[in-house]
Structures are given as structure tokens and as C-alpha cells.
Amino acid sequence: MLIHNKNFNIQQIADSGQCFRMNQLEANRYCLIALGRYLELIQREEAVIELSCSEAEYEELWKDYFDLEYDYHHLVETLRTGKDSFLQSAAEYGKGIRILRQDFFEMMISFIISQNKNIPSIKSSVEALCRRYGTPIIAAVGKEDSYYAFPTPQQLARATKEELRELKVGYRDEYILQASRAVADGLLDLSHIQSCSYEEASKALRQIHGIGEKVANCICLYGLHHIEVFPIDVWIKRILEEVYRNEFDLQLYEGQAGIIQQYMFYYMRSMKEKV
DNA sequence: ACCCAGGCCTGGA
DNA sequence: TCCAGGCATGGG
């Protein structure tokens, strides 16, 4: 089915560092494994996207997943006509980015893995976890066993440190186990966390070994859709120092700082690639 | 070989 | 409270 939206660009979302299981198949064509399903996306035109799903499935799942009720256009226009020249450029450059509403547990584990790794490396570790512990997804005839859902907390909680080391997650093995067991054992109650404020959710998450401020912020932003949260990684830190001389005023963007952060991150990384 | 990557933990000032 | 060093691993 077709989606019409000026602020929905698959390539930009896939390369924005918020999701690790969206991959390019060919020009303008991507695949995604999320919500226990396999989806293909084609960028037909700048504002036209084709999804390989029924209208019913779109209404039930993907409309929410891609945050299609939110008006990104308004924010982009505000930034493009605003006073901040870096954000003018960043918003124009990444205007097709949206903050996905991804699975909480998947974000928890993915961002625990993300620490001190680059994005390709994170993706390969996440994929390895899915293949080893996740449930196969039947995507099409002849493609059985090609795709795997992200493991459930129960599936991952049964892993051992030795197995995880084989998947090249390094010293994060214990972090992954503790986090998975905390959720599987109910110490970390998803439905409760989902009803919490950002501050409460972040505090609860940081109780887990291997989840510090930055990783907790990413989980809150991408897994709980607290779009007011502004995660600071090495790239954002560099921007705050080099572009803003540590005088960036977060208050100006209260309530949407997470989206601003995403435009900054994507723009800065793209600049470096072109050098 | 050296440095960096969507950092965090520990131990010592 | 703040900082240094260590940490597994892969890629440039």
C-alpha cells in the first residue's frame, strides 16, 4: 500500500542510527524486521512510500511504528526558517527522518550493545543475537528461516555468557544477561515503565549494570517515545563543543529535543562521510 | 601499528 | 563530585 508524506524518507531513517534492522536491498528499496514481522519499503517518490503490507496491517501496526500521526513538517519548517543556521541545514538535510516507536526490550539490548561500538558493528551483533535466539519469521515461500525476530526477554535470559561471547558482544555479555533476566523475571516491569515519566523510567533503567545516562536516554527516546529526551553521544558532544562552543540552549526545543538531536546526528555524520 | 566507535564501571583523588 | 584507565571487538 502507498503512504503519502513529505517527511518520510526510508534511506534517512535507515541511516539515522536509531534502528539497526533496516537494510538497503537496492536503490530506494529497503527491508525491515520489527514487531516480529518482515516488511519491505520502497521510496517511489520523495513523498510517496510503498509498504509491502495490507491496509489493515498498516493501520494496526506500521502507522504507529513510523509515528505517522505526528507533524514533523511543522517542526522542520520552524527550524528551516529559524535563527540557528546549523539546525536550518540539519533540518533541511534530514527532513525525512522520523522517530520510530520501536520495541522497548529490543532498544534496551540494542543500545546496551551500542556502547563503544560503531553502527555497522552494532548491527552485526544485533543480527547475530536474533539468529541465535530469535524466533524465525515466515516472510515468504522459499524464504523460511531467512529472518528472525528479535529475541524475547525469556529467550535471551536463557543464554549463557559463553554463547554471547561467541557472538562477539565482548564485555557486554553480562550486561545483556542481567538486563534480559531483569525483564524476564519481572524486576523491570514493562507496562509500569511505559506509564512512567522520563525521569522515573531513566532512573529504573540505570539500575541495570551497563545502562548509564546515554544508553538510558536512547532507550527512553526510541523505545518509550519520550521525544523530549536529548541523548548525548560522541557525535552530539562534538557538535555541542565545536558548533555551539558549549552554549547550545536546549530549552528552546523543550518537548522535541529528541527529534532535534536526530537531525543533528544525521547531518553531522553525513558531513564526515563526504570529506 | 594506532585510533575510534550512538559508553560504562571501578577506583582514587 | 570529577577524572583515568580498562574494557572486547571490528574497521579505517
Side-chain angles (χ1 to χ4, degrees):
Chain A
M1 67 164 297
L2 294 179
I3 313 289
H4 296 264
N5 193 303
K6 290 178 184 171
N7 300 90
F8 191 177
N9 185 288
I10 304 302
Q11 176 269 318
Q12 291 180 6
I13 292 172
D15 294 338
S16 68
Q18 60 175 308
C19 58
F20 304 109
R21 305 198 73 198
M22 190 182 288
N23 294 300
Q24 186 168 34
L25 297 171
E26 57 190 82
N28 297 322
R29 183 163 161 255
Y30 290 77
C31 66
L32 164 70
I33 303 172
L35 308 176
R37 311 213 178 191
Y38 175 84
L39 183 72
E40 287 189 7
L41 310 93
I42 302 173
Q43 192 88 37
R44 289 295 184 194
E45 297 171 32
E46 184 180 349
V48 181
I49 296 217
E50 181 178 344
L51 302 184
S52 68
C53 69
S54 67
E55 196 146 336
E57 183 175 322
Y58 167 74
E59 289 293 336
E60 184 194 345
L61 302 174
W62 302 113
K63 186 174 173 181
D64 178 71
Y65 183 85
F66 290 107
D67 199 26
L68 283 159
E69 301 278 89
Y70 193 83
D71 188 0
Y72 288 82
H73 182 69
H74 182 260
L75 175 58
V76 167
E77 287 312 302
T78 301
L79 295 173
R80 287 196 331 132
T81 57
K83 293 177 181 172
D84 184 321
S85 60
F86 182 77
L87 281 178
Q88 282 178 10
S89 306
E92 169 60 31
Y93 189 80
K95 62 189 174 189
I97 294 174
R98 316 180 70 80
I99 305 291
L100 306 182
R101 294 175 182 264
Q102 301 183 76
D103 176 75
F104 173 82
F105 181 66
E106 179 171 343
M107 291 301 98
M108 215 171 127
I109 301 301
S110 297
F111 279 97
I112 284 174
I113 289 172
S114 79
Q115 63 183 257
N116 221 25
K117 268 180 176 290
N118 55 34
I119 291 176
S121 177
I122 299 165
K123 291 174 83 164
S124 73
S125 288
V126 167
E127 210 52 46
L129 271 190
C130 295
R131 286 188 180 283
R132 176 64 182 77
Y133 301 105
T135 301
I137 295 170
I138 308 301
V141 177
K143 286 194 172 182
E144 296 85 358
D145 280 18
S146 295
Y147 310 106
Y148 293 81
F150 195 87
T152 64
Q154 291 73 22
Q155 287 172 324
L156 252 195
R158 281 187 240 115
T160 65
K161 276 202 276 184
E162 291 69 30
E163 288 171 4
L164 291 171
R165 280 290 167 114
E166 288 173 17
L167 303 181
K168 307 300 182 186
V169 300
Y171 63 90
R172 306 162 191 81
D173 55 355
E174 299 182 47
Y175 301 161
I176 294 170
L177 274 187
Q178 191 187 328
S180 301
R181 288 172 182 163
V183 176
D185 297 345
L187 294 173
L188 197 63
D189 179 3
L190 282 200
S191 55
H192 175 249
I193 295 272
Q194 281 168 341
S195 68
C196 282
S197 65
Y198 154 61
E199 287 78 10
E200 292 171 318
S202 173
K203 188 177 173 184
L205 287 167
R206 280 182 281 116
Q207 302 301 310
I208 291 174
H209 216 58
I211 300 185
E213 183 177 4
K214 190 272 174 181
V215 168
N217 281 345
C218 284
I219 299 168
C220 287
L221 176 56
Y222 305 122
L224 297 170
H225 208 72
H226 286 297
I227 58 172
E228 72 274 25
V229 182
F230 190 85
I232 300 176
D233 73 315
V234 291
W235 293 89
I236 297 293
K237 184 165 180 285
R238 201 172 297 152
I239 293 169
L240 297 183
E241 288 168 0
E242 295 175 9
V243 178
Y244 293 97
R245 287 170 295 177
N246 287 323
E247 290 178 351
F248 180 68
D249 187 3
L250 250 186
Q251 309 273 33
L252 294 174
Y253 309 102
E254 211 163 20
Q256 312 181 96
I259 307 174
I260 305 285
Q261 175 269 162
Q262 201 64 54
Y263 295 144
M264 288 178 161
F265 180 82
Y266 178 70
Y267 184 54
M268 193 63 173
R269 282 170 44 86
S270 70
M271 304 271 290
K272 198 194 172 190
E273 278 190 13
K274 288 175 181 171
V275 171

